[in-house]
Amino acid sequence: MKIVFFGTPQFAVPTLEKLLNHSEFEVLAVVTQPDKRRERGNKLTPSPIKAIANAHNLPVWQPERVKKDTETLSKLKQSDADVFVVVAYGQILSSKILNMPKLACINVHGSILPKYRGAAPIQWCLYNGERETGITTMLMDVGMDTGAMLQIATTPIGLLDNAQDLADRLAGIGGDLLVETLLKLERKEIQPIPQDNLAATYAPLIQKQDYALDWSKSAIQLHNQIRGFYPNCTATFRENLLKITASAPLGSVSDRDLPPELQELMHKLPDLSNVSDQPGVVVSIIKGIGAIIQTGEGLLLLREVQLAGKRPQSGWDFVNGTRLTVGEVFGAGS
């Protein structure tokens, strides 16, 4: 089966590698986003997918706008591919492109469709506190993740999983599912299933304001925001911006999902439910672990934070380094 692969970030790498290492598939070329300038050194940096393609001496096409790039469109047409595979490419494909391959254009999407169509399914899935997610392979059409579904693979979500953890796991699942999908599609063993548009939800691009923490929210809401939009959520500490990169909600129905060491901690804690009614206040400091913050409902343990210009550090190192005390107040992010 001859394939042109469209993809850009690390999430797409396991799928491309599965195709490259499978005897039934021939990857003809890779289409990826143009190189971007990164903060450190401001050097042009290739996408993770381009790096893999270069290592395998594959042709790489990087149009600014694939729908409008006549040279790339001509190459795609001349490739005579059986399938275009798309994994987090980052551009919308036109109907002209979708109709080029002999069999289909197939997308590997990071959710259980029709939930979380759009650009950031993993992040919003965590933000909304889902306990399960997965990968869907689908036939592409001109809509935003609206095509008929081919196969679905699911995975549970742990309470402390963040967006990076989940993306890494789903990337591996996606590679395996895509291989299975292609083989079954070639043997005509799959019947595409239309999506239920009435059940669809959307996962839009994340905006800067989505990172700001509001301590009047509940502990579980804040925790889901922190892990969903990892590692970028912010609070204010001593008039400076502070990233909170890992947390744990305490004293809620989620306690059973905490790791054993935190469950044990909860049994040892004094009753902190009425220590303060002011969200953002440090109500306790647990030696060797970190600070516990009052929220609008429940308590939040700060497991990892990052001061401006510094590396991430454990909650306990933060307490020691700043000489944090009970009664101090964290402000909202911005």
Side-chain angles (χ1 to χ4, degrees):
M1 184 182 288
K2 296 180 179 180
I3 297 169
V4 173
F5 187 90
F6 294 69
T8 299
Q10 183 62 36
F11 181 78
V13 167
T15 303
L16 177 57
E17 289 180 330
K18 289 282 184 181
L19 295 175
L20 290 169
N21 293 324
H22 200 290
S23 61
E24 294 292 320
F25 308 122
E26 178 187 359
V27 180
L28 304 174
V30 162
V31 186
T32 190
Q33 294 275 51
D35 296 356
K36 290 187 177 180
R37 295 194 181 276
R38 306 298 177 184
E39 292 180 13
R40 194 169 295 177
N42 200 33
K43 293 182 179 179
L44 278 175
T45 305
S47 72
I49 284 296
K50 182 179 179 180
I52 298 296
N54 286 343
H56 287 82
N57 297 312
L58 292 172
V60 177
W61 307 329
Q62 297 179 270
E64 288 285 348
R65 295 187 65 194
V66 67
K67 294 190 293 186
K68 303 290 185 179
D69 192 290
T70 54
E71 183 180 353
T72 303
L73 290 172
S74 177
K75 289 177 179 178
L76 288 170
K77 185 68 175 177
Q78 292 171 13
S79 71
D80 200 32
D82 297 303
V83 173
F84 291 170
V85 169
V86 182
V87 188
Y89 169 49
Q91 294 189 39
I92 301 296
L93 304 189
S94 64
S95 58
K96 182 177 181 179
I97 296 173
L98 296 176
N99 289 326
M100 286 182 183
K102 296 174 184 177
L103 288 177
C105 277
I106 297 177
N107 179 239
V108 178
H109 185 74
S111 78
I112 303 172
L113 291 172
K115 295 185 74 174
Y116 300 106
R117 295 173 176 172
I122 295 170
Q123 291 87 340
W124 288 105
C125 170
L126 287 165
Y127 178 85
N128 289 326
E130 300 284 0
R131 299 177 70 93
E132 182 184 64
T133 188
I135 290 287
T136 305
T137 52
M138 54 175 277
L139 297 176
M140 295 180 68
D141 60 19
V142 292
M144 175 66 76
D145 301 321
T146 55
M149 300 177 294
L150 297 171
Q151 290 191 283
I152 293 174
T154 64
T155 185
I157 300 174
L159 180 67
L160 300 186
D161 284 342
N162 65 31
Q164 187 62 62
D165 300 329
L166 197 52
D168 289 346
R169 189 158 77 246
L170 287 173
I173 294 171
D176 290 334
L177 189 67
L178 188 272
V179 167
E180 182 183 332
T181 298
L182 290 176
L183 293 174
K184 287 186 175 181
L185 191 68
E186 188 174 38
R187 297 193 295 260
K188 298 182 179 179
E189 295 175 358
I190 293 181
Q191 181 63 45
I193 302 172
Q195 293 187 43
D196 179 0
N197 291 326
L198 295 178
T201 61
Y202 288 88
L205 284 170
I206 299 163
Q207 306 296 321
K208 183 181 178 181
Q209 61 266 25
D210 295 321
Y211 299 136
L213 297 173
D214 176 356
W215 296 103
S216 67
K217 292 182 179 180
S218 70
I220 190 65
Q221 286 175 317
L222 288 164
H223 172 68
N224 287 340
Q225 183 179 359
I226 290 164
R227 66 191 185 126
F229 301 149
Y230 172 86
N232 295 311
C233 286
T234 59
T236 304
F237 174 69
R238 296 177 185 171
E239 299 183 356
N240 294 307
L241 219 55
L242 173 75
K243 284 187 178 180
I244 298 178
T245 51
S247 59
L250 304 178
S252 69
V253 294
S254 60
D255 287 350
R256 67 183 183 278
D257 298 320
L258 292 171
E261 64 271 20
L262 292 183
Q263 288 189 23
E264 185 177 346
L265 168 66
M266 284 306 302
H267 293 307
K268 294 180 179 179
L269 279 179
D271 182 13
L272 299 175
S273 58
N274 296 313
V275 170
S276 172
D277 59 1
Q278 181 183 352
V281 171
V282 179
V283 296
S284 183
I285 294 174
I286 308 302
K287 186 175 181 179
I289 297 178
I292 295 177
I293 314 298
Q294 178 71 55
T295 72
E297 181 183 343
L299 305 172
L300 192 72
L301 171 66
L302 304 189
R303 296 171 50 235
E304 184 183 84
V305 304
Q306 184 176 6
L307 293 159
K310 304 290 184 179
R311 294 177 180 274
Q313 59 183 164
S314 70
W316 180 240
D317 286 344
F318 171 69
V319 167
N320 281 334
T322 61
R323 299 184 183 275
L324 186 69
T325 59
V326 171
E328 287 201 67
V329 181
F330 286 76
S334 63

